[in-house]
């Protein structure tokens, strides 16, 4: 029998912290000591980083200058809204409900606008996931966007963004 675990228990068990300004909770679980040059410049990044991530509400649209893979562990299905640099959008659903077409892993290519929300109205709902970022995540490679900023850049997505 599966025991219901609360978001607070996951936060405590994995020593998660609030992830500002994006939303949710996280803790870095790995940072490669190996360094690589990145982004066509002399800047160096860790080869890869990993975090635990707990989504408890909708997070903010943002981009990361590295590829990012989400790994779903447990909880409610989470809808991942993606917009590529050309303004094409797609939606992926992360969960362990594979027979419904949900995915346990999703790749978010570098510089993709992304936001996520739970597909549950239960106030205790959460999605517990991990992400692997390569080259490794650094805060200066991360940018948050408002819906208004995205509407100015991608006016053809007004209906999709209004629904998110």
């Amino acid at each position: 029998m599966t025991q219901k675990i609360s978001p607070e228990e996951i936060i405590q068990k994995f020593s998660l912290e609030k992830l500002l300004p994006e939303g949710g909770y996280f803790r870095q679980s790995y940072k490669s000591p190996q360094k690589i040059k990145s982004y066509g410049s002399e800047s160096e990044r860790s080869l890869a980083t990993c975090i635990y991530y707990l989504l408890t509400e909708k997070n903010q649209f943002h981009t990361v200058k590295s590829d990012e893979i989400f790994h779903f562990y447990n909880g409610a299905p989470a809808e991942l809204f993606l917009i590529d640099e050309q303004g094409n959008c797609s939606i992926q659903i992360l969960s362990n409900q594979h027979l419904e077409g949900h995915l346990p892993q999703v790749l978010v290519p570098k510089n993709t606008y992304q936001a996520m929300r739970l597909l549950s109205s239960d106030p205790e709902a959460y999605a517990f996931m991990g992400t692997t970022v390569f080259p490794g995540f650094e805060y200066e490679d991360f940018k948050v966007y408002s819906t208004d900023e995205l509407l100015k850049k991608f006016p053809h997505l007004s209906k999709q963004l209004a629904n998110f």
Side-chain angles (χ1 to χ4, degrees):
M1 176 183 263
T2 303
Q3 179 182 356
K4 174 87 169 146
I5 301 169
S6 73
E8 293 77 19
E9 289 171 307
I10 293 173
I11 291 166
Q12 182 178 2
K13 170 71 179 168
F14 291 94
S15 302
L16 304 180
E17 302 173 7
K18 246 337 199 174
L19 181 56
L20 299 174
E22 179 184 333
Y25 297 83
F26 86 108
R27 179 174 62 84
Q28 188 174 74
S29 57
Y30 174 74
K31 184 172 187 171
S32 174
Q34 185 177 348
K35 302 285 186 184
I36 60 170
K37 295 211 186 283
S38 181
Y39 316 119
S41 72
E42 293 301 310
S43 66
E44 285 192 341
R45 298 285 182 269
S46 290
L47 181 62
T49 55
C50 298
I51 65 167
Y52 292 116
Y53 181 62
L54 181 68
L55 180 70
T56 56
E57 58 189 345
K58 183 170 107 172
N59 70 12
Q60 296 290 314
F61 274 99
H62 62 281
T63 56
V64 177
K65 287 185 179 179
S66 298
D67 290 343
E68 180 173 23
I69 297 176
F70 282 85
H71 311 267
F72 186 87
Y73 301 140
N74 66 38
E79 182 178 60
L80 181 59
F81 189 98
L82 304 170
I83 305 170
D84 69 18
E85 294 177 277
Q86 291 74 41
N88 301 305
C89 72
S90 65
I91 294 176
Q92 301 291 332
I93 299 177
L94 285 144
S95 87
N96 54 15
Q97 298 173 18
H98 314 299
L99 297 178
E100 285 81 26
H102 300 182
L103 300 170
Q105 283 183 358
V106 172
L107 168 67
V108 178
K110 67 180 181 177
N111 299 319
T112 298
Y113 301 87
Q114 59 175 299
M116 189 179 292
R117 67 179 170 192
L118 296 170
L119 292 179
S120 173
S121 58
D122 179 349
E124 286 293 306
Y126 64 85
F128 185 44
M129 299 172 272
T131 73
T132 304
V133 178
F134 48 97
F137 178 84
E138 295 292 340
Y139 277 102
E140 62 260 23
D141 302 333
F142 168 83
K143 184 170 181 193
V144 173
Y145 297 85
S146 70
T147 303
D148 287 341
E149 287 176 291
L150 292 177
L151 283 169
K152 287 177 187 169
K153 188 171 178 87
F154 305 115
H156 66 284
L157 296 178
S158 60
K159 181 179 178 184
Q160 294 91 333
L161 289 167
N163 290 331
F164 200 85

